[in-house]
Amino acid sequence: MKRSALVTALAALTAALLGGGLVSETPQATAATACTAADADVYAPPAIVPATPGTVLACRSVTLSQVPGSIAMSAWKVRYSSTDNQGRPVAVSGTLAVPTAPWTGPGPRPVVAFHPGTLGLGPQCAFSKQLAGAFQDEYEGDNIAALLRAGYAVAATDGPGYLDGQTHTYVAGTDSGHALLDIARAAPAVPGSGLSRQARVGLWGYSEGGAASLWAAQLAASYAPDLNLVGDASGGIPGDLKQVAAGLDGGAFAGFLADAAVGIQAAHPTLPLDSLLNDQGKEAVRTAKSVCVAGTVTALAGRRIKDLTTAGLTLDQLYQQRGSDGRTWGQVLDAQKLGVNLGTYRIAFPVLQYRGALDEVIPTATEDAVRTAYCAAGVNTGWKTYPGDHLLTDNQAVGDVVSWLGDRFAGRSAQNAC
């Protein structure tokens, strides 16, 4: 057994024993000791999830056919432990890729924890499946390639809810932030990765991924103080879900609003959803859960919440609907808002935020507001605007983001644009 895997296994066992003060008669989940899992096993929900976040539960060597450039690398699909918004252990899938070329920079090879942008809720949409060529609707293979060419390892989470029978918790802040931090924790424990737990770690995401990476940045000090985090790059940020929803409802990208309703309810199952929907609404949910991003946009364009609910609810009326735990939709959505409570969410490393000048999906006002809030809280915040729309900006920023992360890995100071 590799030493890193042994350490992780012992940590998981120790946590299990100390957590309840007694040895349970229930068999405990253990860390993977070799990357020989069948592909189907990576996506099978385990019966037991260790309470130690970042434990590697299963892994499998893969070829990432959708990462361009024929880059020499070792790559694995992984299933690892994380924590949901209620503090419960959950299993999440993802990908780890490590360049074959030796790292020649200072210290251990750096790791970039990457969260993809919106891919859709269908099980086939998982980033790890798409990178390996099982389905093709992703658009960020160039992002992964650029990081690998720079010599960095990439730990890319799928985000929670892509295991069999689950629903992706789309735009649920705490869940996605935890999943991103925990794949960075898991990366050194993948047998054969050669990565160090002392490696410098950067965070990166755009759109859905931009919200996830900022949530990871906000949660890092309290949730993952063991990680050597040096910077976060986040673009196209849906910082206020209510503001984003107002722009999506009835528009060309209304499918993203359907995904958000389904994803938030999956993360907060006490909220009502199915009971509010008419037949059209239930069909829209079935569609959203079965397709990827292109299908989401085309199948659900122009849909309005009021046409999908039995009572013809407006968004404001939907926000007043109360769940079985007493919280309303509005309260849960407000809890996902970025740039709030930054006195509690201490960020001790630089952040780069960016957006497209012609963004037609995320209101630029909410993107700008997140930047303003971070600056007001004293967070070292870089800022850049690109000439593209929402999708084009993701690719336009790749070179700048990789260079910015490289400066953080090299220990150079970051320019504060506040």
Side-chain angles (χ1 to χ4, degrees):
M1 179 186 289
K2 298 285 186 182
R3 182 179 182 276
S4 59
L6 177 60
V7 170
T8 304
L10 290 175
L13 180 59
T14 300
L17 294 175
L18 294 179
L22 297 171
V23 177
S24 170
E25 295 181 0
T26 303
Q28 297 296 324
T30 57
T33 58
C35 290
T36 56
D39 191 73
D41 291 341
V42 173
Y43 303 100
I48 303 170
V49 181
T52 304
T55 301
V56 178
L57 306 176
C59 51
R60 169 184 177 81
S61 295
V62 293
T63 299
L64 302 184
S65 62
Q66 300 307 308
V67 175
S70 301
I71 302 166
M73 71 177 91
S74 297
W76 302 264
K77 288 183 176 182
V78 296
R79 186 185 68 197
Y80 62 98
S81 62
S82 187
T83 312
D84 71 6
N85 61 81
Q86 297 298 309
R88 298 169 299 203
V90 293
V92 181
S93 54
T95 303
L96 175 66
V98 181
T100 301
W103 171 248
T104 59
R109 186 190 301 275
V111 177
V112 177
F114 183 87
H115 194 298
T118 300
L119 293 175
L121 304 183
Q124 75 276 19
C125 311
F127 197 46
S128 60
K129 294 181 180 180
Q130 296 205 49
L131 288 178
F135 181 85
Q136 188 50 40
D137 199 22
E138 61 83 22
Y139 44 87
E140 293 180 309
D142 287 340
N143 305 49
I144 305 304
L147 293 169
L148 294 171
R149 283 195 297 268
Y152 312 139
V154 181
T157 183
D158 291 341
Y162 281 111
L163 301 188
D164 295 343
Q166 298 180 351
T167 299
H168 176 45
T169 55
Y170 183 66
V171 295
T174 300
D175 301 76
S176 59
H178 286 170
L180 187 57
L181 294 167
D182 288 331
I183 198 167
R185 284 167 153 163
V190 173
S193 72
L195 300 174
S196 169
R197 293 193 180 280
Q198 284 70 52
R200 291 184 171 183
V201 177
L203 308 170
W204 186 13
Y206 184 80
S207 192
E208 178 194 358
S213 56
L214 271 189
W215 267 106
Q218 292 186 170
L219 294 167
S222 60
Y223 180 73
D226 50 300
L227 289 176
N228 184 13
L229 287 163
V230 297
D232 164 57
S234 298
I237 303 157
D240 183 338
L241 295 183
K242 287 182 178 178
Q243 193 170 8
V244 176
L248 295 176
D249 194 27
F253 300 98
F256 298 151
L257 178 54
D259 279 358
V262 173
I264 291 294
Q265 201 273 338
H268 301 274
T270 58
L271 289 174
L273 182 60
D274 189 68
S275 61
L276 304 177
L277 299 175
N278 58 25
D279 289 344
Q280 290 184 60
K282 292 174 182 177
E283 179 59 30
V285 166
R286 284 192 290 269
T287 298
K289 287 184 175 182
S290 66
V291 297
C292 296
V293 61
T296 300
V297 172
T298 57
L300 299 174
R303 300 296 185 92
R304 292 186 180 277
I305 287 293
K306 70 180 183 63
D307 297 327
L308 304 179
T309 54
T310 55
L313 300 175
T314 64
L315 284 172
D316 287 339
Q317 290 170 332
L318 173 65
Y319 300 152
Q320 297 170 18
Q321 304 304 304
R322 195 173 299 277
S324 59
D325 66 349
R327 290 196 299 170
T328 65
W329 268 95
Q331 289 170 324
V332 171
L333 292 177
D334 284 341
Q336 316 308 312
K337 190 173 181 179
L338 285 159
V340 178
N341 297 325
L342 289 177
T344 300
Y345 297 130
R346 182 177 58 84
I347 301 176
F349 45 82
V351 170
L352 172 65
Q353 295 182 32
Y354 57 98
R355 66 165 173 83
L358 303 177
D359 197 324
E360 76 286 33
V361 179
I362 307 298
T364 55
T366 187
E367 298 173 282
D368 294 347
V370 175
R371 172 203 181 188
T372 299
Y374 272 59
C375 287
V379 178
N380 185 323
T381 304
W383 177 257
K384 186 156 187 178
T385 302
Y386 292 88
D389 62 10
H390 187 71
L391 184 58
L392 287 176
T393 296
D394 190 358
N395 189 261
Q396 289 171 346
V398 169
D400 290 336
V401 170
V402 174
S403 177
W404 186 87
L405 287 170
D407 286 343
R408 305 292 77 72
F409 293 143
R412 301 185 186 99
S413 58
Q415 182 176 358
N416 191 344
C418 292

